[in-house]
Amino acid sequence: MILTVTLNTSIDKLYLMTGIKPETVMRVKEVHNTAGGKGLNVSRVAGKLGEEITATGFVGGFNGKYLESLVDNPLVRCAFTHVDAETRSCINCWDLSDGKSTEYLEPGAPVTGEDVARFLADFNRELAGADVVTISGSIPEGAPDEIYNDLIRSCRKAGVPVLVDTSGNRLISAVKEKPSFIKPNEDEIAQLTGRSFSGREEAVRALIELHESGIPYVVLSLGAEGALLACDMGVFHGKPPKITPRNTVGCGDSMVAGFAVGFARHLSMAETFRMALAVSAASALSLFTGDFDPADYDRLYPEVSIDKVY
């Protein structure tokens, strides 16, 4: 079972519109609501890959109940901590005429110290049955900055691999606890190593430095060019076949889901990396975040190339 953590859950609303014009009244052509937050994107994708998921985090109010009703994959079990604060909504306005989108992300209502204590108790109870843990995204106001550190320490004590996908100070702090996996971008790698870099060769050296600091798997996404992975076996460049993406939002979450499934199934590094890249590319072909067509995944998987670069 994969245990996912989404502390700042949301109702993600996709507005499909044609020819968005600022400072005018616009009518939405279609609305699609999903249970959102980066960890729930991971949950949906990993569940669609056939893995059992337990989704944790904070939900509250009417929106919290609605969010749980939107989790419709029988392999994804809701084990959220219920709070009084209303779960936020996030809106993605997608212009069908040019494929561009604008996102409006609410900050999330504050949680209390009592809420946090109940979540930690809920998490540790679910951790007993987990094969892998993923921790994704931001945290709501009221949650302590070091909460991810606490979760990583609990996972390490339980002997459960933990994949962390966050940013800013939370990532810098979490790295000190040596999670099993991180996926920083170029700016975050510069923050973590204390130096900027340019070019593939310097990126490889930075990934090696982070890996040798005690993090088993360090991944740098390269967009359409795939990703670099540093691990005990060396540094590898994985690249999916060329595609024409429809929506790249959430592709990083899909990649995390692929790694989590590979870890849960004890697949080889090559199989895990290939799965992560194939499902990320398949997600880019879907209009909806945290979703993919299994036929796209099956077609792309054998076409992913993986080459050792160091």
Side-chain angles (χ1 to χ4, degrees):
M1 179 268 284
I2 297 173
L3 180 64
T4 64
V5 175
T6 316
L7 293 184
N8 215 4
T9 56
S10 69
I11 302 295
D12 282 359
K13 305 177 76 67
L14 174 64
Y15 288 177
L16 299 182
M17 308 169 72
T18 302
I20 296 176
K21 298 177 182 178
E23 301 180 11
T24 62
V25 174
M26 298 294 302
R27 296 194 180 277
V28 177
K29 186 175 181 180
E30 293 181 30
V31 179
H32 296 270
N33 296 327
T34 56
K38 291 175 68 64
L40 278 164
N41 294 338
V42 173
S43 301
R44 275 197 305 281
V45 172
K48 203 163 186 177
L49 286 170
E51 204 68 22
E52 291 187 355
I53 312 297
T54 297
T56 68
F58 296 115
V59 297
F62 173 81
N63 273 353
K65 294 178 182 177
Y66 181 46
L67 182 146
E68 290 182 297
S69 75
L70 291 172
V71 180
D72 56 2
N73 186 326
L75 290 177
V76 181
R77 180 174 69 90
C78 294
F80 294 107
T81 301
H82 293 85
V83 300
D84 292 334
E86 190 79 23
T87 293
R88 65 180 177 150
S89 294
C90 294
I91 299 172
N92 182 2
C93 298
W94 185 279
D95 193 334
L96 294 169
S97 64
D98 59 14
K100 296 180 180 179
S101 68
T102 301
E103 294 185 90
Y104 299 88
L105 309 181
E106 293 183 9
V111 294
T112 67
E114 180 182 345
D115 294 333
V116 172
R118 287 192 296 109
F119 164 75
L120 292 173
D122 292 341
F123 173 83
N124 284 311
R125 183 182 63 252
E126 300 295 343
L127 179 59
D131 300 302
V132 178
V133 172
T134 68
I135 302 172
S136 305
S138 61
I139 62 175
E141 183 181 342
D145 288 338
E146 66 276 10
I147 189 167
Y148 285 175
N149 300 56
D150 294 337
L151 300 180
I152 295 168
R153 284 193 290 268
S154 294
C155 293
R156 186 168 60 242
K157 184 177 180 180
V160 178
V162 55
L163 288 66
V164 176
D165 184 18
T166 188
S167 59
N169 290 333
R170 281 182 304 278
L171 175 62
I172 293 171
S173 180
V175 162
K176 297 175 183 177
E177 298 296 334
K178 309 306 178 190
S180 309
F181 168 104
I182 58 172
K183 192 178 67 64
N185 59 31
E186 291 186 5
D187 290 338
E188 289 160 350
I189 289 177
Q191 287 181 302
L192 293 171
T193 60
R195 54 183 173 80
S196 59
F197 63 89
S198 60
R200 187 67 54 84
E201 186 174 329
E202 291 185 8
V204 168
R205 285 201 296 268
L207 292 178
I208 292 171
E209 181 179 331
L210 288 170
H211 168 66
E212 291 181 343
S213 74
I215 302 171
Y217 295 88
V218 184
V219 172
L220 171 64
S221 175
L222 303 174
E225 293 300 308
L228 291 172
L229 165 66
C231 61
D232 284 345
M233 297 173 63
V235 181
F236 297 84
H237 178 208
K239 185 177 180 180
K242 186 173 292 187
I243 61 170
T244 302
R246 296 188 70 193
N247 178 16
T248 59
V249 176
C251 288
D253 302 327
S254 297
M255 185 181 293
V256 171
F259 274 102
V261 171
F263 290 176
R265 295 176 181 172
H266 304 287
L267 301 180
S268 69
M269 181 283 299
E271 291 173 303
T272 298
F273 198 16
R274 180 169 282 108
M275 173 183 286
L277 289 165
V279 78
S280 178
S283 296
L285 295 174
S286 172
L287 183 61
F288 307 113
T289 302
D291 188 33
F292 68 95
D293 185 333
D296 288 331
Y297 171 77
D298 291 341
R299 173 175 56 83
L300 293 168
Y301 180 89
E303 298 182 30
V304 172
S305 64
I306 299 177
D307 299 304
K308 189 171 184 179
V309 297
Y310 183 86

